[in-house]
């Protein structure tokens, strides 16, 4: 059974803290994605990676960075968390050629910044 | 800018009725996919339709695609309580050299007992 695992389901962090959100997939997918989901705004792409050590900015990369040291793992980093980063974060993965391929999502990480 | 826009934003129907959701998009696409999201959970892939296809079925799901109108519809027949969820369309479009998948804001479907 295919699986995208997000390490933390619920987190509460203080303003200014450094936050790591970890994602692991077991499908040998080349592509990995980080989205955030907010009410009324839908899913917005933060960063994606199409290979190890490769990364591309999505639509809202400001305030975030990512790391892809191994093919199966994609980390989202909030260098200095702010209250406007309170959100649901979704990790996803797919094979390289998006055409005809499904994107698989993790269960999401609810982050609250206080 | 938003590519896929679902319509309606919210829909409540009686159990057993059919539910229809629509998605409109702006640019040419390679394919269009529909996903379901139960409250507080991740998205689950339902069905993919390619740009050269007009209709596709999967169990109680029927998806149509009209590329001339840049729109798609998702029909769920004989709805059940378990169908209560948000439904998203996602379009795959090639921008420059890169594939890009863009999600709509979703339709919240509520099945009334």
């Amino acid at each position: 059974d295919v699986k995208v695992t997000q390490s933390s389901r619920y987190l509460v962090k203080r303003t200014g803290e450094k936050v790591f959100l970890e994602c692991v997939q077991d499908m040998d997918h080349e592509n990995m994605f980080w989205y955030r989901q907010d009410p009324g705004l839908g899913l917005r792409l933060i960063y994606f990676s199409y290979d190890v050590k490769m990364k591309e900015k999505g639509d809202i990369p400001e305030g975030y960075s990512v790391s892809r040291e191994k093919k199966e793992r994609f980390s989202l980093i909030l260098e200095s968390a702010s209250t406007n980063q309170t959100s649901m974060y979704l990790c996803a993965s797919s094979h390289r050629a998006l055409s005809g391929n499904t994107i698989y999502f993790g269960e999401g990480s609810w982050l609250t910044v206080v | 800018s938003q590519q896929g826009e679902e319509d309606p934003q919210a829909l409540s129907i009686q159990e057993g009725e059919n539910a229809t959701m629509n998605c409109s998009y702006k640019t040419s696409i390679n394919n269009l996919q529909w996903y379901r999201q139960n409250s507080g959970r991740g998205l689950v892939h339902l069905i993919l339709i390619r740009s050269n296809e007009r209709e596709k079925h999967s169990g109680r799901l029927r998806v149509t695609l009209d590329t001339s109108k840049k729109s798609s519809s998702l029909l769920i027949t004989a709805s059940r309580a378990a169908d209560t969820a948000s439904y998203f369309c996602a379009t795959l479009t090639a921008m420059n050299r890169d594939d890009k998948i863009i999600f709509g804001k979703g339709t919240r479907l509520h099945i009334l007992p």
Side-chain angles (χ1 to χ4, degrees), chain B residues 1-21:
Chain B
S1 62
Q2 198 65 40
Q3 167 77 323
E5 293 282 350
E6 291 91 346
D7 169 57
Q9 290 186 343
L11 178 63
S12 292
I13 61 171
Q14 293 295 138
E15 193 167 12
E17 291 181 344
N18 295 342
T20 300
M21 289 158 273

Side-chain angles (χ1 to χ4, degrees), chain A residues 44-89:
Chain A
R44 292 181 291 168
L45 181 64
I46 304 171
Y47 268 98
F48 69 97
S49 167
Y50 52 87
D51 205 344
V52 175
K53 296 192 186 295
M54 307 303 289
K55 60 184 180 183
E56 294 283 342
K57 292 180 180 179
D59 298 318
I60 51 163
E62 296 80 18
Y64 303 94
S65 62
V66 290
S67 172
R68 185 119 181 249
E69 295 297 318
K70 294 184 178 181
K71 189 176 186 180
E72 67 271 17
R73 187 178 296 270
F74 192 35
S75 303
L76 179 70
I77 304 154
L78 287 66
E79 294 290 340
S80 177
S82 63
T83 54
N84 63 12
Q85 292 178 309
T86 292
S87 186
M88 162 102 145
Y89 291 87

Side-chain angles (χ1 to χ4, degrees), chain A residues 9-10 35 37 40-43 45 48 59 88 90 96-108 110, chain B residues 2 30-31 33 35 37 39-45 48 50 88 92 98-106:
Chain A
R9 192 87 171 91
Y10 301 97
Y35 291 88
Q37 185 177 23
L41 297 177
L43 274 76
L45 181 64
F48 69 97
D59 298 318
M88 162 102 145
L90 288 162
R96 170 157 290 138
L98 289 170
S99 178
N101 283 307
T102 299
I103 296 181
Y104 294 90
F105 282 84
E107 286 294 293
W110 290 92
Chain B
Q2 198 65 40
N30 296 82
N31 67 48
Q33 303 184 40
Y35 288 79
Q37 184 182 34
S39 180
R41 310 296 294 272
L43 277 72
V44 175
H45 179 260
L48 179 152
R50 299 178 195 277
F88 294 85
L92 172 65
D98 304 314
D99 289 337
K100 192 168 183 179
I101 286 193
I102 303 175
F103 287 84
K105 295 180 182 178

Side-chain angles (χ1 to χ4, degrees), chain A residues 8 18 39 56 58 74 112:
Chain A
S8 302
K18 190 169 186 176
E56 294 283 342
F74 192 35
T112 301

